[in-house]
């Protein structure tokens, strides 16, 4: 294999980034409606797969506080956390992020696509989620159904 200086520099930078990048705490919420359907969203960025609403932890927030804030910011819904479904490791884009997935109960608000972050939002039966699903969503969905 022939390496030029640009390829070598890129490989060194990629290695440095993998070693030094911070771990991010992500949060996702499984919210159901009165018919037992699950709320999924599709973002305007990334691979545009369907995922549970959520985002990242900010500052000194606890993961559950972040989840409540993110549900409100992304969907307009007020929720309370009913239980932790699981903590999952995301390895997308060479990251090693921990993602907390919570079961949430809607306590107020109405579903709306808040801001420009969400392309679509919708309620789907848990046994017929929208496709394509983001990596790891199916695992969390099965864990949620198995342990409810």
């Amino acid at each position: 294999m022939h390496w030029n200086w640009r390829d070598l520099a890129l490989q060194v930078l990629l290695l440095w980034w993998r070693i030094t990048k911070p771990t991010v705490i992500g949060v996702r919420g499984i919210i159901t409606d009165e018919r037992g359907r699950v709320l999924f969203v599709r973002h305007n960025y990334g691979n545009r797969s369907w995922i549970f609403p959520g985002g990242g932890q900010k500052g000194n927030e606890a993961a559950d506080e972040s989840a409540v804030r993110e549900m409100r910011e992304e969907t307009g819904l007020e929720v309370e956390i009913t239980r932790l479904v699981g903590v999952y490791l995301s390895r997308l884009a060479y990251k090693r992020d921990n993602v907390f997935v919570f079961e949430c109960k809607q306590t107020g608000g109405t579903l709306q696509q808040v801001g420009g972050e969400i392309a679509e939002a919708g309620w789907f039966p848990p046994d017929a989620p929208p496709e394509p699903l983001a990596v790891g969503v199916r695992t969390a969905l099965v864990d949620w159904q198995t342990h409810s």
Side-chain angles (χ1 to χ4, degrees):
M1 176 191 296
H2 177 68
W3 288 83
N4 64 38
W5 69 269
R6 286 186 195 142
D7 291 337
L8 184 58
L10 181 61
Q11 292 302 316
V12 169
L13 284 173
L14 184 58
L15 178 61
W16 176 81
W17 183 77
R18 285 182 185 177
I19 293 169
T20 63
K21 72 188 176 322
T23 298
V24 174
I25 301 297
V27 293
R28 298 275 169 215
I30 300 176
I31 308 169
T32 55
D33 68 2
E34 66 283 348
R35 295 172 43 195
R37 298 176 302 173
V38 175
L39 179 61
F40 289 90
V41 299
R42 196 172 59 77
H43 289 102
N44 280 318
Y45 55 84
N47 64 13
R48 299 182 186 219
S49 299
W50 291 90
I51 195 165
F52 304 123
Q57 184 181 42
K58 289 185 180 175
N60 290 327
E61 284 179 322
D64 59 338
E65 294 169 336
S66 297
V68 169
R69 177 186 48 75
E70 285 289 347
M71 297 310 110
R72 183 175 49 257
E73 288 178 4
E74 285 203 349
T75 69
L77 300 177
E78 297 293 333
V79 300
E80 71 178 40
I81 304 297
T82 54
R83 72 182 172 101
L84 175 65
V85 174
V87 181
Y88 304 88
L89 177 63
S90 173
R91 292 187 177 122
L92 294 176
Y94 303 106
K95 297 187 220 172
R96 294 182 52 81
D97 299 341
N98 294 301
V99 180
F100 288 73
V101 177
F102 294 97
E103 178 183 74
C104 302
K105 175 181 161 189
Q106 183 181 349
T107 59
T110 55
L111 180 59
Q112 51 189 309
Q113 291 170 227
V114 180
E117 200 173 336
I118 304 298
E120 290 182 80
W123 301 97
F124 296 86
D127 59 347
E131 294 293 341
L133 282 179
V135 174
V137 172
R138 198 170 313 278
T139 300
L141 190 59
V142 167
D143 290 349
W144 169 71
Q145 291 173 306
T146 304
H147 299 96
S148 54

